[in-house]
Amino acid sequence: MRYIIVGGSAAAISAVESIRSLDHESSIDLFSDEETPLFSRVLLPYYVAEELSKPLLNFRTADFFEENKVTPHLGVKVTSLNTAAKAIRTTDGQTYAFDKLLLATGGKAIVPPIPGVDKEGISTLKTMADAERIYNMKGKRAVVIGAGSIGVEACISLTRRGIKATLLEQLGQVMPTVFDAEAAEIVQKRIEDLGIDVLTGEKALKFTGDKRVTGVVTDNRELSCDMVVLSVGVRPQTELAVQAGLKIGELKGIRVDETMMTSAKDVYAAGDVAETHDIARNAYFLNAIWPCAFEQGHFAGLNMAGRKSAYPGSYRRNSIGNFIGIPAISMGVTHAESCAMASEEDEFREIRVRTKDAYKKLVLRNGKIIGAILVGQTQKAGLMSILLKKQVNVADSIPLLMSDRLNFMDLLPILRRNADQFSEPEYKELMDTGL
Amino acid sequence: MKVLMVDKEKCTGCHQCELWCGTEIASTSKELARAINEEPHPVPRVYVEGKPFALQCRHCESAPCLDACPNGTMRRDPETGLIYVNEQTCIACWMCVMVCPFGIINPSSSMKVAIKCDRCRNMGYPICAEVCPTGALSLVERKDYRKKKF
Ligand SMILES: Cc1cc2nc3c(=O)[nH]c(=O)nc-3n(C[C@H](O)[C@H](O)[C@H](O)COP(=O)(O)OP(=O)(O)OC[C@H]3O[C@@H](n4cnc5c(N)ncnc54)[C@H](O)[C@@H]3O)c2cc1C
């Protein structure tokens, strides 16, 4: 068997580990057009903040390729894929044949078509090269455009380096795909407490300056600045897939089945590039987050190596970590209305509790959790995550789920009622205790 | 692999396991009288919950925390199968907390690391099982766990 992996990040490395758990001998060739191997994109803001040096960005040790008998081709881009001939062509002029191929090409940062966007001092934050560029930018004032997770983290990183940052968001709240208005308000207050100016409901219209950017014109004012970070989202990197004629979904990701296989036999896709079944939305969706990339890489790898394994589906999960002095976690959908596939019979419910320092919200569809937001008290967030993932009915346990005393052992009756869904030994063990 | 078995008939909810885990494993002084006043406050890795029942990390066969950790801080010991936090590299992103199905990972904002049970992997025997006055906690092979009668 000859395996080829395109990409060298979360989904790719996870797939390698799964392939090697079943197949120790076959050749694995891995291609990445980024030269730095094995670094975690999630840590790039820490690099910008000067809190982690380059070697500390790695999520696997430098001997990973050797240990796993992988031939890495770093700085090499795959330029074409022929699914009929089962071969790829690369920038080093070679052709490589494969039996099984994984597209783990990830996402590309969106560059919004704002006049002047090609001036110096303006950068996205996606690649190692982007992080280095931003790190090396000189100046005292920055504008970050787009208040998603990456935008917020970029602002905080720059602030920690003594740069005055302004966060600009065209929608009415920060982190609009992650939080509802109530949670966003708590988070925004914390961001502002760090000394960051937050402007919501305001759009960047133009960049000023000659060669270098000197300001951002919005619909309300002109913000002068020395640098700009663009963080308006990512888009699946599907050039190879499109050229090879693979099925692309409505959201422009590569469509995969539950074995992570694309529309072409023996060609798989995983990670930010893949459009998968979203459990919370009950529809195909793009969930461009690290845990999904890793999970999908696992399932792709197992199936590529011949063990049929069905991916249970994806769902969004975000955590704000220690950045803003209050933990905040969100998963699934943030509002009942965001379910595009809702049928008439579906019954939606939202339940909220707000105290001085904490906020908790559940979104239910037909008694099953499809979304959760926890601010302040987050240790039990994973209980919501597993109940969402397994789609079990929790309608009779709402007071428990909303309570501060929520704990796993009190959920055992729910697990036992849905025993076929909780077949992993770690659950069975505790269910057997008879509690 | 070996996992901790909890006998619900014997667990009286006395919290000895929690107290000792907090002192012996979590505190710097390793003395109860001092541990109580330590700052940051020591965080026990075992939770006496529910009816009562001493719950720790179950070292899942397919562990969501391993997939969620963005920099390889959460690791599985290849020899014992035990999952542990490599505290030096933890960036406190709480992605493991977000996915732990048992809710037993503590996001310690004061220590800026994720704290959880590693089943005392560097000690001879787990402290919680050693100190349990009723013998409710014991180590068993995972494959034998479900054969035990309760
Ligand atoms: C700054 C930042 C912060 C983030 N923070 C978080 C976070 O806190 N939590 C979270 O869950 N997620 C976070 N993410 C998202 C997370 O990093 C991604 O979901 C994850 O990296 C996706 O992994 P992947 O393997 O699918 O693709 P990617 O990481 O995008 O990697 C794809 C790789 O394939 C290469 N490639 C593409 N095409 C080719 C080709 N034709 N030939 C060769 N190589 C190719 C690319 O250059 C790239 O190196 C963050 C992302 C960024 C940028």
Side-chain angles (χ1 to χ4, degrees), chain A residues 7 9-11 33-34 41-42 78 105-107 126 150 271-272 289-291:
Chain A
S9 181
D33 58 0
E34 274 194 276
R41 236 168 268 296
V42 176
V78 177
T105 49
K126 173 78 205 330
I150 296 176
D272 284 8
I289 55 166
W290 185 272

Side-chain angles (χ1 to χ4, degrees), chain A residues 4-78:
Chain A
I4 284 185
I5 314 273
V6 190
S9 181
I13 298 305
S14 168
V16 166
E17 289 179 341
S18 289
I19 292 171
R20 279 292 177 245
S21 72
L22 299 172
D23 178 346
H24 303 286
E25 294 310 321
S26 299
S27 70
I28 302 181
D29 281 85
L30 180 145
F31 296 82
S32 168
D33 58 0
E34 274 194 276
E35 308 226 353
T36 315
L38 303 169
F39 78 93
S40 173
R41 236 168 268 296
V42 176
L43 271 58
L44 291 178
Y46 296 78
Y47 176 81
V48 172
E50 210 165 43
E51 285 176 12
L52 294 176
S53 62
K54 253 188 178 180
L56 293 176
L57 303 180
N58 282 9
F59 66 100
R60 289 295 182 267
T61 49
D63 58 1
F64 178 86
F65 293 129
E66 205 180 323
E67 286 273 302
N68 287 282
K69 290 195 265 178
V70 173
T71 310
H73 304 261
L74 304 175
V76 180
K77 185 171 180 165
V78 177

Side-chain angles (χ1 to χ4, degrees), chain A residues 40 59 290 294 298 317-319 321-322 379-380 382-383 385 407-409 425-429 432-433 435, chain B residues 8 47 49 53 58 60-61 67 69-71 92-94 97-98 100-103 105-106 112 142 146:
Chain A
S40 173
F59 66 100
W290 185 272
F294 233 87
H298 267 320
R317 278 154 285 172
N318 291 94
S319 163
N322 230 25
Q379 178 163 347
K380 304 296 179 188
L383 304 185
S385 175
N407 68 77
F408 178 83
M409 293 312 288
E426 47 271 16
Y427 302 120
K428 286 276 183 252
E429 284 162 11
D432 283 354
T433 56
L435 278 169
Chain B
K8 65 134 185 170
Y47 299 85
E49 296 189 342
F53 190 94
R58 302 308 302 167
C60 301
E61 248 181 23
D67 282 341
C69 179
N71 72 340
C93 70
W94 312 145
V97 174
M98 175 173 78
C100 172
F102 297 102
I105 306 179
N106 180 288
K112 298 194 174 60
R142 172 154 267 165
R146 301 190 57 208

